[in-house]
Amino acid sequence: MIKPAIRTRTCLLLACITLLAACSAIKLGYNNSASFAHTYLTNKVDFDSEQSAFLKTSLNEIVEWHRNAELPVLASELQTARQALAAPNGVVMPVSANQVQALNLAIRASLRRTANEAAPVIAKNMLGLWPNQVQDIQEALDKSNKEYRDERLMQSADQRVRESAERMAERFERWLGTLNPIQIKQIEAWARAETHRAESRYEKRLERQQQFMVLVNKAANRQIDQATLSQEIARLLNAWQSPSSAAEKQESEQRQKATIALIVDVLNSASAEQRNNAADRAAGWAKDFQVLARNN
């Protein structure tokens, strides 16, 4: 069982891998990501020793696959980003929406490949569950949803906007350093337009969790075969990239367009120092990913 607490868009393993973007020690975090995930999951579900050992092996397999297959790709994309971000001799070159979209598509493709690779492994672990463990998983989801509601949905509209803007500003500051007033206003404008979608995103989150729990129950009661379960897990993991209705597709495209526009605006409002900070960050991650890819 690799996924007792679904996050908004991907399984815990993918979150564990992509969490490295916020980790100050990327190599240490990546090399221990399977152990981190294993500890997290075993704290949520009461696995027996055999299940726990198989889970650990499975997590290591996925991380090693990702190390060999995806890290070189991501390193190359980061090098491309570095070139676009850099301001040589203090000259800031505009960043286009097409450049940002190209990186977005590359990352989404990497996540899709990782989800497809992880799905059969997740299925094997789920088919090792027992019916009495299903409640552990549901309780973990319920706790996660309460935390999500408390953090994202219980505040006033103004507070939601403010906290959304603060979260986004923190992400940009990891790359650029201290933001200027124009950039802050751009982020605040984005947050005001974005936060009205919070309720619909939460409803979609619950819907996918319900779909997941149907699969958990079937797996724990041996009512589904491994091949079918793998296909269903892959579909669920990739659902955020493949909206099921025209309305969802339109909303997804609007959100992507708005976020890309924000990135373009903030980068094109950046000083040469900020842009070089971001270029250095991209170069550092690319180097770390290359080292990690060789250390297999």
Side-chain angles (χ1 to χ4, degrees):
M1 167 59 199
I2 294 184
K3 189 181 147 195
I6 299 179
R7 298 302 180 189
T8 304
R9 290 182 173 177
T10 185
C11 70
L12 179 72
L13 180 57
L14 299 181
C16 184
I17 290 171
T18 56
L19 178 65
L20 301 170
C23 181
S24 61
I26 290 178
K27 287 182 282 189
L28 177 64
Y30 193 92
N31 286 330
N32 289 282
S33 57
S35 294
F36 294 157
H38 183 263
T39 299
Y40 181 91
L41 292 167
T42 54
N43 285 335
K44 300 296 182 182
V45 181
D46 186 17
F47 295 114
D48 62 34
S49 59
E50 184 177 349
Q51 290 172 321
S52 178
F54 187 58
L55 173 61
K56 181 177 289 188
T57 298
S58 299
L59 288 165
N60 281 315
E61 287 177 357
I62 295 296
V63 171
E64 287 309 302
W65 173 86
H66 187 269
R67 182 194 303 273
N68 293 321
E70 295 301 323
L71 283 186
V73 176
L74 294 174
S76 177
E77 293 296 334
L78 284 166
Q79 288 288 10
T80 300
R82 180 195 64 78
Q83 294 172 3
L85 290 166
N89 300 317
V91 178
V92 175
M93 297 298 294
V95 171
S96 71
N98 286 340
Q99 288 173 299
V100 177
Q101 175 68 340
L103 179 59
N104 174 50
L105 292 175
I107 292 173
R108 289 163 69 95
S110 177
L111 288 172
R112 188 182 303 110
R113 290 190 297 268
T114 304
N116 291 338
E117 184 71 20
V121 181
I122 295 173
K124 290 179 184 177
N125 281 267
M126 287 174 63
L127 287 167
L129 289 170
W130 299 107
N132 64 309
Q133 293 172 314
V134 173
Q135 186 59 35
D136 289 346
I137 300 170
Q138 185 62 63
E139 289 175 359
L141 289 173
D142 292 343
K143 181 180 179 181
S144 174
N145 289 333
K146 182 180 184 305
E147 293 171 351
Y148 185 96
R149 289 194 304 272
D150 290 345
E151 293 174 3
R152 304 292 180 95
L153 301 177
M154 301 305 291
Q155 305 94 334
S156 66
D158 287 344
Q159 188 175 357
R160 286 190 199 180
V161 170
R162 184 169 58 254
E163 293 185 359
S164 177
E166 288 173 355
R167 287 191 296 269
M168 183 59 79
E170 288 173 1
R171 295 186 187 111
F172 276 111
E173 285 179 341
R174 293 190 193 113
W175 285 85
L176 300 171
T178 302
L179 300 179
N180 63 45
I182 293 175
Q183 292 165 327
I184 295 294
K185 288 182 180 179
Q186 290 167 336
I187 293 170
E188 289 172 347
W190 169 87
R192 283 193 294 273
E194 174 67 16
T195 51
H196 77 276
R197 299 189 177 101
E199 294 287 352
S200 64
R201 289 201 301 272
Y202 182 66
E203 291 301 320
K204 181 56 63 175
R205 170 192 176 100
L206 294 180
E207 179 184 327
R208 289 172 182 163
Q209 288 178 356
Q210 290 168 359
Q211 293 172 2
F212 173 65
M213 287 307 300
V214 169
L215 297 178
V216 169
N217 274 286
K218 287 183 177 181
N221 289 283
R222 310 301 184 262
Q223 296 173 342
I224 189 170
D225 62 85
Q226 184 176 322
T228 302
L229 182 57
S230 295
Q231 292 173 357
E232 288 299 305
I233 292 169
R235 180 192 61 77
L236 193 56
L237 291 176
N238 289 312
W240 67 277
Q241 296 204 57
S242 305
S244 58
S245 70
E248 289 176 7
K249 182 178 180 181
Q250 182 180 28
E251 181 179 358
S252 176
E253 290 174 348
Q254 288 174 345
R255 287 189 66 201
Q256 285 187 65
K257 185 177 180 180
T259 302
I260 288 171
L262 173 65
I263 294 170
V264 170
D265 288 344
V266 170
L267 290 178
N268 288 340
S269 300
S271 66
E273 180 181 3
Q274 287 179 319
R275 289 283 291 270
N276 283 327
N277 286 341
D280 289 345
R281 190 69 177 269
W285 284 3
K287 181 178 179 181
D288 284 341
F289 285 0
Q290 289 167 349
V291 171
L292 285 165
R294 290 195 296 266
N295 293 342
N296 49 27

